[in-house]
Amino acid sequence: QLRKNNKSLHRELLINDRHFLDVISFSPQSNSVRVYAQDITERKQTEKALLLSEEQFRTLADAIPQLCWMANTDGWIFWYNQRWYGFTGTTPEQMEGWGWQSVHNPELLPQVLEQWKVSISSGNAFEMEFPLRSAAGTSSSFLTRAMPVCDQDGTVVRWFGTNTDISEQKRVEDALHEAHGKLEMLVSERTKDLALTVDTLQNEIAESGRMAETLLRYNRLYSVLCATNQAIVKISDRDNLFRAFCRIAVEQGGFLLSWIGLYNEENSLVRIVESCGAVGYLENIRISTKEGPFGLGPTGITIREGTYCISNDFLSDPITQPWHEMGRKYGIRASASVALKEDGRVIGAFTIYTDEKDFFDREQEGLLVQTGENISFALDNMVREVNRKKVEQSLLEETLGRLHAVEELREKDQMLVRQSSMAALGEMINNIAHQWRQPLNVIALIIQSVQLRYASGALSREEMNGDIQNVMENIMHMSQTVEDFRNFFKVDKVKQEFFISDAVNRALSLVSASLEIHNIKIEIKTEDNATVIGYQNEYSQVLLNIISNTCDACVEHRVVNPRIFIRITQENGRSVLYIRDNCGGIPDDIKSKIFEPYFTTRAPDKGTGIGLYMSKMIIEQNMNGHLTASNIDGGTEFRIEV
């Protein structure tokens, strides 16, 4: 809308410029030409100033907490700042023109419209209080002001408006109105009683005056209590909080002087940390917490006893005798002091002075005690906040330490995995050597036979082709052996269901040559065609580790007729594999250590001690199963449950 208005005004100025040129061509000396030119110049200056004002208003509106808007001369609002849309939850399309009526209270809307129309027609500033509905559906009180922007002729060309949230102010005003209502009701009740007799009337009038004075005093201290509570909520720094308390007591409570002193345990003196009002009284003042001339005043008693102390006749009270002269100089007539505590320990006192004698009564004492408790509560919160931050820092340091330890464990696990891989690689090469030994012997014999028969001339083409075919079959067998080992050590990425018997046969195929060399017989009994969901290669690797260890134990103990018994079954809905040998069992002193990393009974060049450790990790961590070992019938039995 603003751009459309600017374009319209620009077209009007262009037309006026053309007319101005026509006038110049016919009457160059005409005074009206100069007047008209001046008018066009002033119009352009007015337009430029208006655009500048709008730009400045937009910039300012983004930096202040008010809801801001701009309207045309007829009251049509064409721009709001982002705070308006954020508070009301509306969009520019909903607010265009008179859309602002949608966030008003329907009952008050006619009154608002009427006053707004009066301001538009008269050109006077608009100011009114009414509620606006927020995006959450709740209403808050706002003070709305709209100022007209006029050109050089006094004609309104724009309206700049703001909406200020005064909900908190309204709540405070309501509280004050309620307090005044109670006061009026109390005075009214007293006035009815005064009608009984003239004497009673006079007495009641006097009592009413005293009551009004008491209520005024009560309101002063109550105002201090309310303001200190607000300061406690807003301020988190102790020094700033003390400064606020002293300022509130003087500026809002109307007290002559207020100050906060902290107790010094080393010299028993009270050090003034904050003050406000007639601070000249505090110059060179000496207050002690010991029982002596300078420790018998309200502040010293308060700190020493951890409570409060009031002197309603400061200039005659014996406990204030050391300060009578200074008190008379500054008009002090009464004083009160309340203890300040931090974490249950008295650290100082909050002391206030007034120029009225007998100012503090029983109700004032209660408010004074409440003020001290609130301040002490705020100090305790600050201590708790400091302790909380310390605990958080300690937890952070502990967490970082644990993360560091986890990282070290992860690095150790990775190292174990690498070592396990290297050990598996060595086992693989050893098994490949066993598997290749017989085919290599066969190939060597065939080559020697071919050479001898060729030298003697007894080698026919058919015999040579047969020998070549026999050699190629053995080479293919050796190649398949390498392929079987390579596939065996591939890492499975996805869990899948497989038969335990397939994993057993696969592992045995890789060590069959070693078993044959050492004359170790294998017996397999399958009671159930059990299946497992997991990683088949890893499961087969566990079997290979256990069978290899069993084979080594049989060789080491020189067992006659070594046997390995494998049984596959199901127990309680889970698949179980037993691998048992007759190779003497595990010594009792090392039985509890066989699954520990780096534990081995072999020579350093014979084993790494991580095969069984990695096997237990694979079964229990990767496949959520159990791997155990026990001695039975002169041998060792491994039990794998998945």
Side-chain angles (χ1 to χ4, degrees):
Q1 183 66 29
L2 177 60
R3 288 195 294 268
K4 184 163 65 177
N5 292 341
N6 289 339
K7 289 179 179 179
S8 176
L9 180 58
H10 184 60
R11 287 196 298 271
E12 180 181 354
L13 291 174
L14 288 175
I15 294 172
N16 291 336
D17 286 347
R18 296 192 192 99
H19 178 67
F20 172 65
L21 293 174
D22 292 339
V23 173
I24 292 176
S25 63
F26 289 100
S27 55
Q29 303 301 326
S30 174
N31 290 331
S32 62
V33 173
R34 290 191 295 272
V35 172
Y36 195 78
Q38 181 179 358
D39 181 57
I40 292 175
T41 301
E42 292 175 350
R43 286 186 179 220
K44 290 184 176 180
Q45 292 176 348
T46 301
E47 179 191 24
K48 183 177 180 181
L50 177 60
L51 292 176
L52 179 60
S53 297
E54 291 180 357
E55 184 64 26
Q56 291 175 343
F57 184 75
R58 291 173 190 263
T59 301
L60 179 61
D62 291 333
I64 62 177
Q66 280 83 0
L67 314 181
C68 300
W69 47 271
M70 286 190 291
N72 289 330
T73 57
D74 57 357
W76 183 278
I77 300 179
F78 62 86
W79 177 85
Y80 297 88
N81 67 345
Q82 289 301 318
R83 292 186 185 275
W84 174 279
Y85 298 122
F87 175 78
T88 61
T90 59
T91 64
E93 290 76 12
Q94 293 173 328
M95 291 292 99
E96 184 177 2
W98 294 84
W100 52 270
Q101 302 179 45
S102 61
V103 297
H104 274 273
N105 187 333
E107 297 179 358
L108 300 178
L109 184 57
Q111 181 183 353
V112 176
L113 287 172
E114 181 63 28
Q115 188 166 336
W116 177 226
K117 291 177 180 179
V118 170
S119 295
I120 292 172
S121 60
S122 64
N124 294 329
F126 173 84
E127 181 171 324
M128 191 175 182
E129 294 181 10
F130 48 76
L132 291 178
R133 187 172 63 254
S134 68
T138 59
S139 295
S140 300
S141 297
F142 278 82
L143 173 61
T144 299
R145 292 191 178 97
M147 296 297 296
V149 179
C150 302
D151 60 12
Q152 61 184 358
D153 297 330
T155 303
V156 176
V157 294
R158 288 287 187 277
W159 289 88
F160 290 174
T162 62
N163 297 78
T164 303
D165 191 343
I166 58 171
S167 301
E168 184 65 25
Q169 176 182 340
K170 295 292 289 184
R171 284 194 289 270
V172 174
E173 290 178 355
D174 291 342
L176 291 176
H177 287 317
E178 183 180 355
H180 286 300
K182 291 180 180 179
L183 176 60
E184 292 177 357
M185 181 179 65
L186 184 60
V187 173
S188 177
E189 292 175 355
R190 296 297 184 186
T191 303
K192 291 179 180 179
D193 296 336
L194 293 175
L196 297 175
T197 61
V198 175
D199 291 339
T200 304
L201 179 60
Q202 291 177 347
N203 292 335
E204 290 295 336
I205 290 174
E207 182 64 22
S208 178
R210 288 192 295 270
M211 182 62 68
E213 183 178 354
T214 301
L215 288 174
L216 181 60
R217 295 175 179 177
Y218 179 80
N219 285 338
R220 287 171 58 183
L221 199 53
Y222 181 78
S223 176
V224 172
L225 177 61
C226 292
T228 54
N229 289 340
Q230 294 179 5
I232 289 172
V233 173
K234 297 178 181 178
I235 302 174
S236 58
D237 176 70
R238 190 173 80 166
D239 293 339
N240 290 329
L241 194 64
F242 285 166
R243 189 176 300 112
F245 292 156
C246 295
R247 179 182 54 79
I248 290 170
V250 174
E251 296 179 1
Q252 298 189 31
F255 289 98
L256 189 66
L257 169 64
S258 67
W259 62 279
I260 291 178
L262 298 182
Y263 165 53
N264 189 329
E265 295 182 359
E266 295 181 358
N267 54 21
S268 300
L269 295 179
V270 178
R271 178 175 59 89
I272 300 171
V273 294
E274 289 294 342
S275 61
C276 186
V279 295
Y281 170 79
L282 301 175
E283 293 183 2
N284 301 321
I285 193 171
R286 178 181 174 84
I287 298 177
S288 174
T289 58
K290 291 183 178 180
E291 294 185 358
F294 296 99
L296 296 178
T299 303
I301 294 174
T302 294
I303 296 177
R304 191 164 54 249
E305 298 182 359
T307 177
Y308 70 96
C309 184
I310 293 175
S311 175
N312 267 324
D313 188 2
F314 189 88
L315 298 181
S316 301
D317 197 333
I319 65 173
T320 60
Q321 194 278 330
W323 307 280
H324 283 176
E325 182 178 350
M326 290 294 292
R328 188 175 294 105
K329 177 180 178 181
Y330 287 94
I332 296 174
R333 296 295 180 267
S335 71
S337 182
V338 62
L340 301 182
K341 298 179 181 180
E342 186 177 77
D343 199 19
R345 181 178 60 89
V346 178
I347 63 169
F350 178 40
T351 306
I352 53 178
Y353 300 85
T354 179
D355 56 0
E356 298 180 33
K357 184 180 176 182
D358 298 324
F359 181 86
F360 301 98
D361 57 13
R362 185 175 299 276
E363 292 181 349
Q364 303 277 13
E365 292 177 6
L367 287 176
L368 183 67
V369 171
Q370 184 63 48
T371 301
E373 291 178 353
N374 291 351
I375 297 174
S376 298
F377 175 77
L379 296 177
D380 287 342
N381 278 343
M382 292 179 183
V383 172
R384 282 192 289 268
E385 180 65 17
V386 171
N387 293 335
R388 183 187 65 81
K389 291 182 178 179
K390 290 181 179 179
V391 172
E392 287 182 353
Q393 182 63 28
S394 176
L395 288 175
L396 177 61
E397 294 175 356
E398 182 180 352
T399 301
L400 292 175
R402 290 184 177 181
L403 290 175
H404 181 68
V406 169
E407 182 65 21
E408 290 182 349
L409 289 176
R410 188 179 68 84
E411 292 178 357
K412 290 180 180 179
D413 287 342
Q414 290 177 347
M415 182 177 65
L416 286 174
V417 170
R418 289 193 296 268
Q419 292 178 346
S420 176
S421 299
M422 294 301 295
L425 180 61
E427 293 285 345
M428 181 185 71
I429 294 174
N430 184 53
N431 287 320
I432 290 176
H434 285 305
Q435 296 286 73
W436 278 13
R437 185 170 288 115
Q438 182 177 353
L440 286 174
N441 288 334
V442 171
I443 292 172
L445 291 174
I446 291 173
I447 293 174
Q448 290 175 359
S449 175
V450 168
Q451 185 179 15
L452 291 174
R453 283 180 291 162
Y454 177 79
S456 63
L459 180 66
S460 65
R461 178 178 295 276
E462 290 77 10
E463 290 176 342
M464 183 180 68
N465 290 336
D467 291 339
I468 292 173
Q469 180 65 28
N470 195 2
V471 169
M472 291 303 299
E473 288 177 357
N474 280 275
I475 291 174
M476 291 299 296
H477 174 71
M478 295 167 64
S479 176
Q480 185 61 40
T481 300
V482 174
E483 186 67 18
D484 290 342
F485 275 97
R486 189 177 69 86
N487 292 331
F488 178 79
F489 286 99
K490 282 185 178 179
V491 178
D492 293 330
K493 296 183 178 179
V494 180
K495 287 184 177 181
Q496 57 185 354
E497 186 175 13
F498 62 90
F499 289 101
I500 295 180
S501 58
D502 291 343
V504 171
N505 293 331
R506 190 175 184 186
L508 290 175
S509 68
L510 299 179
V511 295
S512 58
S514 296
L515 296 174
E516 290 178 5
I517 290 174
H518 298 296
N519 196 28
I520 299 175
K521 304 299 182 180
I522 300 292
E523 295 183 14
I524 302 176
K525 182 179 181 181
T526 303
E527 297 178 358
D528 295 289
N529 199 11
T531 60
V532 171
I533 296 177
Y535 306 105
Q536 183 175 359
N537 278 355
E538 291 186 359
Y539 192 91
S540 297
Q541 184 177 349
V542 171
L543 299 180
L544 184 63
N545 286 337
I546 295 175
I547 293 172
S548 296
N549 283 348
T550 301
C551 182
D552 292 340
C554 291
V555 173
E556 181 181 351
H557 292 89
R558 299 179 180 179
V559 177
V560 179
N561 297 323
R563 296 287 186 272
I564 296 177
F565 307 93
I566 298 176
R567 183 164 62 96
I568 302 172
T569 185
Q570 285 190 339
E571 298 177 4
N572 300 322
R574 293 171 69 87
S575 299
V576 181
L577 173 68
Y578 292 95
I579 301 176
R580 181 167 56 88
D581 61 49
N582 61 345
C583 301
I586 306 170
D588 293 336
D589 58 336
I590 66 171
K591 187 165 55 177
S592 62
K593 302 178 181 180
I594 63 172
F595 292 112
E596 295 180 1
Y598 302 114
F599 177 79
T600 179
T601 58
R602 305 179 193 175
D605 59 339
K606 300 294 185 180
T608 61
I610 61 175
L612 290 180
Y613 170 74
M614 293 301 299
S615 298
K616 193 173 184 64
M617 286 184 60
I618 289 172
I619 295 299
E620 297 188 353
Q621 294 187 12
N622 294 3
M623 302 183 69
N624 297 322
H626 298 284
L627 172 59
T628 58
S630 60
N631 290 331
I632 182 171
D633 296 335
T636 303
E637 183 178 73
F638 288 88
R639 182 179 184 272
I640 303 174
E641 176 187 336
V642 179

